[in-house]
Amino acid sequence: MGQKRARDPKAQVAEANKRKKAAKSDAASSDDYGSLGVDDLNWKEVAMPDRMDDAEGFFGLEEIEGVDIIKQGDGGVQFKAKAGKPTKSIIKPPSEDDGDEWAGFSDEDSSKKSPATEKTPAATEVKEDKKSKKDKKKEQNKTKKEEQNSKEQKPKEQKPKESKAAQSQSIKAGLSFAALDDVEEDDGVDVSAWDGLNLSPETFTALSKMKFSSPSAIQKASIPAILDGHDVVGKASTGSGKTLAFGIPIIEHYLDQRGKQEGQSDKSEKNKSPIALILSPTRELAHQLGKHIGELIANSPDTNARVALITGGMSIQKQQRQLATADIVIGTPGRVWEILSTGTGLIRKMQKIQFLVVDEADRLLSEGHFKEMEHILTALDKHQAGDIADMDEEEEEEEPSNRQTLVFSATFHKDLQQKLAGKSRWTSGEMLDNKESMEYLLKKLNFREEKPKFIDVNPESQMAVGLKEGIVECPAMEKDLYLYSVLLYYPKHRTLIFTNSISAVRRITQLLQALQLPVFALHSNMAQKARLRSIERFSSPTANPSSILVATDVAARGLDIKGVNCIIHYHVPRTADAYVHRSGRTARAGESGKSILICAPDEVVGVARLAGKIHSKKTKKAEDSNGPSKKIPLESLDIDRRVVARLRPRMSLAKRITDSTIAKEKVNTEDNWLRAAADDLGVEYDSDEFDQSKGRGRGRGGGRERREKEASELSKSEMAGLRAELKQLLSQRVNIGVSEKYLTAGRIDIDALLRGEGNDAFLGHLDPLTF
Ligand SMILES: Nc1ncnc2c1ncn2[C@@H]1O[C@H](COP(=O)(O)OP(=O)(O)OP(=O)(O)O)[C@@H](O)[C@H]1O
């Protein structure tokens, strides 16, 4: 059993007072500062408009007042408080940082600090107070761990672990507010299932607070391998906890290193190098990784690891400053390369990372990001090839980078998987010279081991265990109607609808808005802040439980939104991997969820092929026992025809309203553009004349243009009429079986009503969908 710490409340309060006094005198001496660097200043954020579209660099503009600029001989600049102003009025408060680290999806909260960085002195004291209440638990974990350490005696890990134990002892000795620690509070869970993973007491505490009672399969397999220093390629189904599979070892490494960094001066703190670079294919995913790892840090006692988020849509200048003090850098390849290539010495810092993580690796390594990934990987190893011209002698003598490479995804193309697993050898010569090939990038990853550890915890199925997959077949022109029907079948479901195009996202969002459903849009043409705001509104715990997000595949990968119950594929995904990742936004972390494909007759063949690929093992097993099958291995869902029939009038009104709104927007845009062009040319522009000339000599597509024109010509009062009619329909339940006779006679069939089983949309009995 762990020994309980003897506490002397008086002595601890005295100690806390002493520390407060010391802090005051530190503050008083801050006016002794001479000139200051840019990072020492207390910059204030300048409020900017929400939408600046392409003017990305101006998001997060900052200003400072009361400062004189002092030019240095070498061309650099320093800063000093203006005459008559105390220096402390311009310097950054000691515990405050730039505030760019993860701060939630909310725009309004952008000034708040991330959980990882909220550790102002006051916050730290409260945290320490809480921590002291957990001492007993921690002591137990620590003792367990020490026992385990002494049993395992791994020479490589023994030393840092011992120093961690010592650190944790010294942290406890410095607790403040311990005198208030009368009430035993326990909001954590038992985490003994993590025992075998050789984790620090800090991580145990964090896991307990986060209520992660046991490791997931990928965590159990990957964490020890990474802690042992191996390169790891990890494959596990969506939502199975891959982020912490690499996040925990990174924090463990940080804790090991912390002893060395403690006591170093503020300056060397700023010159420190990050320990990890985590690359992600999308901005949203990068933000989420930051949030998830930030939570681990925030819940881990006295762990102040700094996370820098390097993604597009935010200020480059701010991110550069963040990078200067970051421990963990998380970013998208485009922006990471944009910043590294500014030539401000950041590449050298990055070359010292201990971990390179490639998340959603199959996407990062094979499409879209090729050039930036190539640049980053080349830069990380440049000094190893000795080709940084301006390196000084000291650096040249440095050990070559010894980083670990961690590659994770739920899906790997067969070829990529085989190469990563070392099953298929690198083709020498020709292939490697082909600088456009995935193989070339893989080689550039520069694993430290000849063969990384390949960990595949779900070789049988890529789909999450709690996921049910269904298909709704419908006429091609009625997809909207069937989509609406499915949504009404599951009224209390948080639903994510995927489409294959941005225009479809826009149209379906407007359509569902017209039908008064709580719907938000997400696609890559939206401004970054609007993207984050949509996710925030859709996912917030206080959001309507029936919220709907309509998105392109920008939301398909990695996004971890709590409580998503249903995924609807409005368009059949283009690849099997996209289907796996889209569907993986539900049934996460052991929960259950539904994935429903809405499929027109001409899409059935494609769906069968797709499903066959995903469920190849299942299909093969079934065929082995029953002979060849043409059946799609997805459950067919029958929508009640009465429902479809009764919803048709609503849908046709909603469509007319939506088509008209979109057509009017289009005409306005076209009109504005043509007017501007005519102005430039100095000619007169007559929109009617233009419309008539457009109408002449049309062939195919003329019908659509005519319809669009008609839609755009609906008058305000006609639109108002349609809206009123729709409103009237929406105010009534959809009657699918209660006799009109009963209703008009005021004799409502209560039983029939009750049989609606809590689905307020319907009046009468509705057979639930089969799953
Ligand atoms: N050990 C655990 N116990 C319970 N929940 C966990 C555990 N580890 C992670 N989680 C939770 O599981 C959810 C999914 O985790 P994560 O986002 O890391 O999954 P993933 O495997 O990366 O998914 P994807 O492939 O979709 O990116 C998160 O909400 C996370 O908080």
Side-chain angles (χ1 to χ4, degrees):
M1 278 298 288
Q3 205 186 338
K4 206 169 177 190
R5 187 167 51 88
R7 277 185 244 157
D8 175 355
K10 275 189 195 161
Q12 297 220 359
V13 171
E15 172 68 19
N17 285 340
K18 220 161 101 188
R19 276 209 306 276
K20 266 189 218 159
K21 272 190 195 159
K24 266 191 188 167
S25 77
D26 277 357
S29 65
S30 67
D31 268 7
D32 300 341
Y33 280 101
S35 50
L36 298 157
V38 67
D39 291 332
D40 301 317
L41 299 177
N42 190 16
W43 294 92
K44 304 262 182 318
E45 197 151 319
V46 177
M48 300 296 285
D50 243 17
R51 280 190 68 94
M52 292 189 70
D53 298 324
D54 292 336
E56 291 188 340
F58 284 105
F59 276 116
L61 200 64
E62 293 174 299
E63 62 180 7
I64 190 154
E65 285 176 3
V67 176
D68 277 334
I69 299 171
I70 308 158
K71 292 217 165 98
Q72 309 282 297
D74 60 1
V77 287
Q78 290 271 301
F79 303 90
K80 209 175 163 91
K82 279 203 159 130
K85 267 198 150 235
T87 304
K88 66 177 178 235
S89 67
I90 61 160
I91 61 168
K92 189 156 57 174
S95 61
E96 194 183 321
D97 37 39
D98 288 329
D100 260 357
E101 284 99 323
W102 171 256
F105 283 121
S106 162
D107 294 346
E108 290 76 28
D109 287 356
S110 59
S111 60
K112 279 191 196 160
K113 302 292 170 274
S114 79
T117 55
E118 267 177 52
K119 292 168 184 168
T120 57
T124 314
E125 279 176 356
V126 173
K127 200 172 165 70
E128 283 175 350
D129 178 37
K130 271 194 170 175
K131 190 187 69 159
S132 71
K133 290 167 191 167
K134 295 276 167 53
D135 269 356
K136 212 168 133 202
K137 191 167 199 116
K138 269 191 65 184
E139 289 287 348
Q140 285 169 355
N141 283 334
K142 197 177 104 254
T143 315
K144 264 189 209 159
K145 192 178 137 26
E146 278 166 357
E147 280 168 9
Q148 187 195 325
N149 271 354
S150 65
K151 267 189 229 154
E152 292 179 4
Q153 291 287 328
K154 282 190 190 153
K156 184 172 168 269
E157 285 161 23
Q158 199 179 1
K159 203 172 156 227
K161 300 292 171 192
E162 277 171 4
S163 77
K164 231 181 264 174
Q167 277 169 8
S168 130
Q169 205 60 51
S170 72
I171 292 161
K172 281 174 195 153
L175 286 180
S176 54
F177 292 122
L180 305 176
D181 184 21
D182 290 336
V183 193
E184 187 68 12
E185 182 193 285
D186 190 9
D187 58 356
V189 294
D190 176 13
V191 286
S192 48
W194 292 82
D195 275 359
L197 301 190
N198 210 15
L199 303 176
S200 63
E202 287 86 348
T203 301
F204 268 109
T205 305
L207 292 168
S208 171
K209 285 202 212 166
M210 292 165 88
K211 302 202 179 354
F212 293 166
S213 56
S214 56
S216 65
I218 187 73
Q219 291 164 351
K220 206 169 180 175
S222 307
I223 292 172
I226 301 173
L227 289 177
D228 276 350
H230 293 292
D231 290 324
V232 166
V233 177
K235 177 171 168 278
S237 57
T238 50
S240 60
K242 292 187 285 294
T243 310
L244 290 191
F246 59 77
I248 289 175
I250 291 174
I251 298 301
E252 287 292 312
H253 181 87
Y254 166 84
L255 292 168
D256 277 349
Q257 297 292 304
R258 187 173 60 179
K260 291 176 203 159
Q261 285 165 9
E262 262 171 16
Q264 285 182 0
S265 70
D266 201 34
K267 195 158 185 296
S268 65
E269 159 83 1
K270 274 178 192 140
N271 288 335
K272 72 184 181 188
S273 307
I275 55 172
L277 171 62
I278 303 173
L279 294 170
S280 126
T282 66
R283 297 170 185 183
E284 282 80 6
L285 182 52
H287 280 250
Q288 184 187 287
L289 292 170
K291 184 178 175 223
H292 203 9
I293 292 174
E295 275 164 8
L296 181 70
I297 296 168
N299 284 298
S300 172
D302 300 289
T303 306
N304 294 302
R306 287 164 185 251
V307 177
L309 271 177
I310 308 297
T311 64
M314 308 280 174
S315 146
I316 287 203
Q317 290 78 4
K318 226 168 169 184
Q319 292 178 348
Q320 276 171 333
R321 279 190 282 120
Q322 269 195 322
L323 260 178
T325 56
D327 296 294
I328 299 168
V329 180
I330 303 176
T332 44
R335 178 53 69 91
V336 168
W337 178 242
E338 198 176 349
I339 291 196
L340 291 189
S341 59
T342 52
T344 48
L346 289 170
I347 288 180
R348 288 183 196 189
K349 282 190 164 207
M350 280 298 173
Q351 286 172 344
K352 295 182 184 144
I353 54 169
Q354 299 299 311
F355 300 94
L356 171 66
V357 182
V358 184
D359 197 19
E360 304 294 344
D362 52 335
R363 170 122 183 245
L364 272 182
L365 294 176
S366 49
E367 54 175 271
H369 308 284
F370 195 94
K371 271 279 153 247
E372 291 98 352
M373 283 298 287
E374 186 199 4
H375 289 318
I376 295 168
L377 296 175
T378 307
L380 289 182
D381 288 324
K382 237 178 180 175
H383 67 300
Q384 288 180 23
D387 57 353
I388 287 186
D390 58 349
M391 268 170 73
D392 57 33
E393 266 174 40
E394 201 193 322
E395 279 171 313
E396 256 172 45
E397 279 167 19
E398 245 177 18
E399 287 274 289
S401 146
N402 199 22
R403 66 171 184 262
Q404 282 173 254
T405 303
L406 313 174
V407 178
F408 279 84
S409 188
T411 50
F412 283 106
H413 311 306
K414 209 167 161 210
D415 197 26
L416 176 62
Q417 178 165 333
Q418 291 199 331
K419 296 257 159 48
L420 284 168
K423 284 183 189 149
S424 141
R425 296 315 312 154
W426 310 104
T427 40
S428 53
E430 209 183 288
M431 193 62 166
L432 287 183
D433 290 341
N434 175 6
K435 295 206 162 185
E436 294 298 312
S437 79
M438 173 194 78
E439 192 165 355
Y440 168 78
L441 266 195
L442 280 179
K443 197 76 184 157
K444 282 204 149 301
L445 279 180
N446 198 9
F447 289 108
R448 79 204 283 195
E449 297 174 299
E450 210 197 317
K451 243 184 181 186
K453 263 198 178 310
F454 189 75
I455 299 173
D456 183 354
V457 295
N458 55 309
E460 278 289 308
S461 163
Q462 296 170 305
M463 310 306 282
V465 178
L467 183 76
K468 284 181 166 182
E469 297 164 79
I471 179 167
V472 170
E473 289 182 57
C474 68
M477 301 303 288
E478 304 232 291
K479 273 197 165 189
D480 293 337
L481 185 55
Y482 278 76
L483 168 71
Y484 183 45
S485 308
V486 173
L487 291 172
L488 290 197
Y489 263 92
Y490 296 118
K492 292 273 180 304
H493 277 33
R494 195 165 286 183
T495 301
L496 186 42
I497 302 171
F498 282 102
T499 76
N500 287 352
S501 73
I502 291 173
S503 59
V505 170
R506 289 192 178 124
R507 193 185 62 78
I508 293 169
T509 307
Q510 293 202 17
L511 190 70
L512 299 181
Q513 264 165 0
L515 289 159
Q516 293 181 6
L517 293 174
V519 60
F520 309 101
L522 182 70
H523 57 74
S524 56
N525 268 7
M526 286 163 68
Q528 177 64 3
K529 286 202 170 188
R531 282 163 73 162
L532 294 177
R533 199 167 37 222
S534 276
I535 295 181
E536 161 90 353
R537 289 186 179 159
F538 172 63
S539 62
S540 131
T542 56
N544 188 326
S546 319
S547 297
I548 299 163
L549 183 69
V550 188
T552 55
D553 280 333
V554 73
R557 282 188 181 247
L559 280 193
D560 181 50
I561 300 175
K562 295 268 174 308
V564 175
N565 312 94
C566 186
I567 303 299
I568 300 181
H569 309 263
Y570 179 86
H571 289 135
V572 176
R574 294 193 177 103
T575 63
D577 286 352
Y579 176 79
V580 172
H581 286 281
R582 283 177 174 186
S583 307
R585 296 318 98 210
T586 186
R588 298 174 70 74
E591 298 284 320
S592 56
K594 304 176 180 76
S595 165
I596 300 173
L597 256 166
I598 300 195
C599 179
D602 61 343
E603 291 172 318
V604 169
V605 177
V607 168
R609 202 178 305 125
L610 181 115
K613 263 191 196 168
I614 295 155
H615 296 284
S616 55
K617 297 223 164 82
K618 228 198 243 175
T619 320
K620 193 166 178 314
K621 266 188 194 164
E623 284 182 352
D624 286 349
S625 44
N626 307 322
S629 152
K630 281 191 179 156
K631 207 169 161 272
I632 300 172
L634 305 178
E635 196 162 338
S636 182
L637 306 178
D638 289 326
I639 305 281
D640 190 327
R641 280 170 186 240
R642 290 172 307 162
V643 169
V644 175
R646 298 289 157 91
L647 293 181
R648 197 168 272 120
R650 291 182 178 194
M651 184 49 76
S652 92
L653 285 168
K655 269 190 161 177
R656 284 185 70 193
I657 294 168
T658 307
D659 289 350
S660 174
T661 314
I662 293 173
K664 280 180 201 290
E665 280 169 10
K666 196 173 162 197
V667 168
N668 277 343
T669 320
E670 241 172 37
D671 219 38
N672 288 342
W673 186 85
L674 286 167
R675 209 173 289 282
D679 269 358
D680 284 348
L681 292 170
V683 295
E684 223 166 86
Y685 166 65
D686 178 341
S687 60
D688 287 342
E689 201 179 304
F690 177 76
D691 282 350
Q692 278 162 22
S693 71
K694 256 199 342 178
R696 262 179 257 130
R698 270 189 322 253
R700 286 179 69 197
R704 186 172 52 84
E705 272 182 18
R706 198 189 60 250
R707 277 196 305 278
E708 274 180 9
K709 188 166 184 305
E710 280 166 12
S712 72
E713 283 169 357
L714 275 188
S715 69
K716 270 190 184 166
S717 64
E718 282 170 318
M719 281 287 267
L722 291 178
R723 284 188 204 282
E725 207 181 324
L726 180 57
K727 196 174 168 197
Q728 162 68 16
L729 283 182
L730 292 173
S731 69
Q732 295 162 4
R733 288 184 179 203
V734 183
N735 186 349
I736 46 162
V738 179
S739 140
E740 297 290 332
K741 186 170 72 195
Y742 283 118
L743 290 177
T744 47
R747 286 155 41 212
I748 293 172
D749 182 344
I750 301 292
D751 277 350
L753 267 181
L754 291 178
R755 280 199 302 274
E757 284 163 296
N759 190 336
D760 291 345
F762 297 102
L763 189 63
H765 176 72
L766 175 71
D767 278 329
L769 292 178
T770 41
F771 77 176

